[in-house]
Amino acid sequence: MGFDILCDFDGTISRSDVTDLLLERLAVPGWEAVEASWERGEIGSRECMARQVALIDASAEELDAVLEEVEIDPGFPAFLGAALMLGARVSVVSDGIDYAIRRVLARHGVRGLPVLANRLVATGERSYRLEHPHAEAGCASGAGTCKCAVASHQATSRRILIGDGRSDFCGSGAVELVLAKGALAAHCEDLGRRHVAFASFDELTAQLAQIVDLLPPLERRATEAA
């Protein structure tokens, strides 16, 4: 029986936060102050990223040159192949930037995955804005991509969320199982939320058949939702 895997990108598939790297290299001064406002809880991540991306001053070639430096967890392609063999529908669900995600994945030979993320739009030769096709007005995180809403749209499936940080907190409560590292693992532990902690995708690949067995039967999930 099929199931959905919703996988975060920054710090989960990628080894670093790609948006932060772009801002450090290409943004004019001011993005750090916006970041500090988000960290204090004064603004949501959607507003934070929109204001920060508007500060990027770079050509498309300069943007791509920074993305060429981004590495992913080397175990992710094998994990993806194993998940697909078990009948998973895998999507990247990220509060990051769609263009960056697709380009980094393609450079590492991963193509064709659905990517639900903030949309990067060029507004000039050296300027950009973000659009938020997967936002929800009532998102608890104020995120550009509301992961709890995305998970809820897969209402007839069994769902696994893979992530590492704050953008995954809300989505972790809308799925049947969480595969977590970093701050997300601590969050799930604090709340007693069902999860499997991991450090690398190689670990998940080795355990994947057992992890899938932890998912409730679809019939039970439908009864619980009723």
Side-chain angles (χ1 to χ4, degrees):
M1 184 179 295
F3 58 99
D4 286 285
I5 294 178
L6 313 178
C7 190
D8 175 56
F9 184 77
D10 293 290
T12 301
I13 295 175
S14 69
R15 288 183 151 176
S16 58
D17 188 299
V18 179
T19 303
D20 282 354
L21 179 63
L22 291 173
L23 293 170
E24 289 165 4
R25 297 289 188 83
L26 303 174
V28 299
W31 71 268
E32 299 97 332
V34 178
E35 187 85 4
S37 294
W38 172 71
E39 290 175 347
R40 292 192 297 267
E42 296 168 357
I43 58 175
S45 63
R46 174 180 175 177
E47 180 180 350
C48 175
M49 284 195 60
R51 288 168 58 182
Q52 289 178 321
V53 165
L55 296 173
I56 291 176
D57 176 15
S59 67
E61 292 76 17
E62 289 168 333
L63 198 72
D64 289 347
V66 174
L67 296 177
E68 287 294 309
E69 303 175 24
V70 177
E71 296 300 325
I72 66 170
D73 183 319
F76 178 71
F79 169 82
L80 176 62
L84 295 174
M85 285 289 290
L86 288 174
R89 295 173 291 271
V90 183
S91 302
V92 177
V93 183
S94 169
D95 206 23
I97 299 172
D98 61 352
Y99 176 80
I101 293 168
R102 290 191 177 95
R103 189 168 184 89
V104 170
L105 287 176
R107 187 167 61 85
H108 289 89
V110 179
R111 295 176 176 85
L113 278 185
V115 174
L116 287 74
N118 298 296
R119 182 181 297 138
L120 186 68
V121 178
T123 58
E125 291 185 0
R126 301 184 62 84
S127 60
Y128 306 87
R129 74 169 187 271
L130 273 190
E131 294 179 351
H132 311 283
H134 309 290
E136 289 284 335
C139 180
S141 302
T145 298
C146 183
K147 297 186 181 183
C148 40
V150 170
S152 297
H153 292 159
Q154 273 119 1
T156 61
S157 177
R158 301 175 300 163
R159 302 154 301 179
I160 294 173
L161 176 74
I162 308 177
D164 78 310
R166 283 172 59 179
S167 73
D168 305 298
F169 286 5
C170 122
S172 68
V175 298
E176 285 64 52
L177 182 64
V178 181
L179 310 182
K181 63 178 182 175
L184 179 61
H187 176 75
C188 290
E189 187 70 30
D190 289 345
L191 295 181
R193 191 160 283 166
R194 195 178 199 196
H195 72 287
V196 174
F198 76 100
S200 73
F201 276 98
D202 283 338
E203 294 176 36
L204 295 182
T205 303
Q207 305 175 60
L208 191 55
Q210 292 81 11
I211 288 170
V212 173
D213 285 341
L214 296 174
L215 287 170
L218 189 57
E219 293 81 2
R220 186 192 313 168
R221 182 175 176 268
T223 301
E224 292 170 351

